[in-house]
Amino acid sequence: VNLTFAGASDAVFSRRAGGVVNFQTPGAGTWNVSFANAPDAGVSGAGSAAILVGAVEAASALDQYNARCRSDVSGRHTDNLNKALVGKLRLTVISVLDDHFPEHNYRRAQARLQEQFMETLRQADGCKGAKDSGLPQTLRERYQSALEAIKALP
């Protein structure tokens, strides 16, 4: 994100990963300022991003199963994940979808996750087949382990 500072049209702020903000003015150099509580502080490296992506995928799949096969459209797993992300990392599920998924657009990422789940459900021969194969338990275990991994992040 680049913003022009009011009153100094040639000064530019740009936010980088890790809570670093660059302040640049032509001819005067660049200053780096770090903020401990920046929105993406604590999310560094591919390992943390993979944990976040896995958690969002797990919550989405579990909520989609509940909506499709149990008529439970509350989305509570995504909501609970969102609370955990905001409390621990000052991130939201939407920001993870925008910043860490290959689509870099939360709507397209959500659509892809829905398509992937529907393909999984088709392969399991619908809701009854999914239930008989133990898919709900697998989805719950995947979600719980993803939440634990987020809690273990620094």
Side-chain angles (χ1 to χ4, degrees):
V1 175
N2 289 325
L3 302 171
T4 303
F5 186 71
S9 62
D10 55 352
V12 176
F13 289 98
S14 59
R15 183 176 145 256
R16 296 186 342 207
V20 175
V21 175
N22 286 340
F23 175 70
Q24 297 176 318
T25 56
T30 301
W31 294 272
N32 291 325
V33 181
S34 296
F35 296 94
N37 64 348
D40 55 1
V43 180
S44 59
S48 295
I51 290 170
L52 296 174
V53 167
V56 170
E57 288 175 341
S60 175
L62 188 52
D63 283 342
Q64 288 181 57
Y65 173 82
N66 287 337
R68 182 80 177 180
C69 299
R70 298 184 65 221
S71 298
D72 174 6
V73 293
S74 66
R76 72 176 179 268
H77 297 95
T78 300
D79 288 345
N80 290 341
L81 175 61
N82 205 44
K83 290 174 189 173
L85 289 173
V86 167
K88 179 81 176 181
L89 303 170
R90 298 187 191 270
L91 292 173
T92 64
V93 168
I94 298 289
S95 67
V96 172
L97 288 165
D98 275 340
D99 298 339
H100 299 290
F101 276 69
E103 293 86 357
H104 294 289
N105 179 290
Y106 78 92
R107 290 175 197 246
R108 283 187 289 220
Q110 286 173 330
R112 180 178 57 85
L113 291 174
Q114 186 173 16
E115 289 170 13
Q116 285 178 339
F117 175 75
M118 292 307 294
E119 180 59 31
T120 301
L121 201 57
R122 275 191 287 281
Q123 290 174 357
D125 292 326
C127 292
K128 178 149 178 44
K131 185 177 181 180
D132 293 343
S133 72
L135 181 64
Q137 183 62 30
T138 302
L139 293 174
R140 277 191 291 277
E141 290 170 358
R142 185 174 154 209
Y143 172 75
Q144 289 300 324
S145 66
L147 273 182
E148 293 301 319
I150 286 173
K151 290 177 183 175
L153 288 173

